[in-house]
Amino acid sequence: QSALTQPASVSGSPGQSITISCTGTSSDVGAYNYVSWYQQHPGKAPKLIIYDVYKRPSGLSNRFSGSKSGNTASLTISGLQAEDEADYYCTSYTGSITYVFGTGTKVTVL
Amino acid sequence: EVQLVESGGGLIQPGGSLRLSCAVSGLTFSDYWMHWVRQAPGKGLVWVSRIRGDGRETNYADSVKGRFTISRDNAKHTLYLQMDSLEADDTAVYYCAGVLGARFDPWGQGTLVTVSS
C-alpha cells in the first residue's frame, strides 16, 4: 500500500489561509469517507484535528476544516497562527482492511 | 484523564525480539480498536497493526506481517506488540493509538526502538 501523496511543505503569513492536499486512489480516499488529519509538533505525538473528512473533535478550533473531492482530500487552515507551525498528516481507511498515512506536510508560518 | 503510556523500547540487534506495551487508562478500553503506528527518524507516520476490542481480529501492514504480533489484555487495559526478526528498517518511534470509527484518538507519547548492531 503506497502512502497518500501530500506536498512536502506549505507556507503562509499570519492571518492567511493555506490548504494541504492529500491524494490517494479509488481504493482509499476515493472509496471511503474515512479521511482524518493529524497535527504533529516536533518531538510530540500526533493530534487528531479532522476526522471523517470534515468533522472536528470537540473543542478544536474552527480554523481547521476538511473536504474531499474524488481521490483528493484537503485540509484548510484559516487565520494562520504561529502555533500552527507543525507537520500535518492525512490518513485513510483502505479496502484491504488497513490504513494508509500521507507523506506529511511541513507547515511554516512566515 | 485519558492516558496511553508505551514502554519496552530500546536498542536491539538485528534478528532480535522485543515486546512493546501500551498501558491505557481513562477510557473504556474494550470499546476501542487499538493500533500501532510507527515513525522512523525524520520520516512520516506509517500504520503497523490493529486489534479489535475483543481481541478476535487483527490486521498487519505487509512490511511486518509474519514478524510482528499484536495482542491485548482487556483485564489489564494493556496493548502489546511482539516484534520478532527485527530489521534495521524497523527502527522507529512506535505509537499506540485508540481508534473509534476511523479516527486515531487518543495517542501515546511513543517509545523508541533502535535496531542496530
Side-chain angles (χ1 to χ4, degrees):
Chain A
Q1 181 71 49
S2 298
L4 306 176
T5 301
Q6 298 180 229
S9 62
V10 173
S11 61
S13 299
Q16 287 187 329
S17 293
I18 61 169
T19 296
I20 302 168
S21 62
C22 169
T23 301
T25 70
S26 57
S27 296
D28 38 62
V29 175
Y32 305 96
N33 288 325
Y34 291 140
V35 175
S36 51
W37 290 88
Y38 302 85
Q39 176 191 63
Q40 187 181 35
H41 287 106
K44 301 295 186 182
K47 173 187 173 184
L48 174 71
I49 54 174
I50 292 287
Y51 67 98
D52 294 351
V53 177
Y54 64 90
K55 298 176 182 177
R56 276 188 305 274
S58 175
L60 193 88
S61 171
N62 60 8
R63 297 187 300 106
F64 295 92
S65 61
S67 62
K68 190 184 86 167
S69 177
N71 297 338
T72 298
S74 299
L75 171 72
T76 298
I77 308 174
S78 58
L80 199 61
Q81 300 179 1
E83 68 210 47
D84 300 330
E85 188 160 293
D87 293 326
Y88 291 81
Y89 295 90
C90 60
T91 188
S92 175
Y93 179 73
T94 78
S96 52
I97 322 179
T98 61
Y99 288 79
V100 61
F101 280 88
T103 50
T105 298
K106 181 177 181 61
V107 169
T108 301
V109 180
L110 302 172
Chain B
E1 180 190 7
V2 175
Q3 275 198 317
L4 281 67
V5 180
E6 299 96 335
S7 60
L11 176 62
I12 187 77
Q13 291 189 339
S17 297
L18 212 54
R19 189 176 85 153
L20 305 183
S21 299
C22 170
V24 179
S25 60
L27 53 78
T28 306
F29 185 58
S30 58
D31 283 352
Y32 284 73
W33 282 82
M34 294 300 298
H35 295 237
W36 289 99
V37 176
R38 69 185 181 184
Q39 186 171 34
K43 303 296 185 181
L45 301 172
V46 176
W47 181 81
V48 173
S49 181
R50 73 170 184 172
I51 185 168
R52 202 169 68 185
D54 61 7
R56 293 184 176 184
E57 182 176 346
T58 59
N59 303 105
Y60 300 90
D62 288 344
S63 58
V64 306
K65 201 172 295 183
R67 300 188 299 120
F68 289 12
T69 303
I70 191 172
S71 62
R72 64 192 295 160
D73 184 334
N74 284 354
K76 295 183 177 179
H77 285 210
T78 302
L79 172 72
Y80 303 100
L81 185 68
Q82 176 66 41
M83 304 186 295
D84 298 321
S85 303
L86 282 161
E87 305 166 352
D89 285 348
D90 296 319
T91 294
V93 173
Y94 285 74
Y95 295 100
C96 61
V99 176
L100 279 179
R103 57 188 184 274
F104 288 70
D105 181 52
W107 294 70
Q109 85 289 349
T111 186
L112 176 62
V113 172
T114 303
V115 184
S116 174
S117 54

